Amino acid sequence: MGFSIRLTAEERALAESYAKLHSLSIGEAFKSALFEKIEDEYDLTIANEAYGEYLRDGKKSAPIEKLWKELDL
């Protein structure tokens, strides 16, 4: 699937500079940035859910070893 993005001359120059710095095509740079942003938002959502659970549980935490045992069911 392909698509196009309209950029100002300044935005294009910045994107080209970034891509060149990282030895990427502009398309690869945009794709990488998109998926990095998606991953960041997902991680933030999971962290917020975990923090909410921590607060609901009266700010109690458990050792990681206990969580590993629960996963090994």
Side-chain angles (χ1 to χ4, degrees):
M1 176 176 106
F3 62 93
S4 64
I5 301 173
R6 296 188 199 286
L7 301 173
T8 65
E10 185 177 303
E11 291 168 337
R12 183 173 179 92
L14 181 60
E16 288 173 342
S17 176
Y18 177 86
K20 185 176 180 181
L21 180 67
H22 294 283
S23 301
L24 300 169
S25 68
I26 292 179
E28 290 169 327
F30 275 101
K31 184 176 177 181
S32 175
L34 171 64
F35 285 103
E36 195 171 307
K37 176 71 173 171
I38 291 169
E39 183 179 352
D40 289 348
E41 288 190 25
Y42 175 79
D43 290 345
L44 184 59
T45 298
I46 296 300
N48 285 334
E49 288 174 3
Y51 184 64
E53 184 177 323
Y54 169 74
L55 293 176
R56 283 188 302 279
D57 289 345
K59 296 185 179 179
K60 295 177 189 171
S61 62
I64 192 70
E65 293 83 11
K66 180 182 177 193
L67 298 173
W68 287 334
K69 286 178 184 176
E70 289 176 10
L71 292 174
D72 287 339
L73 300 174

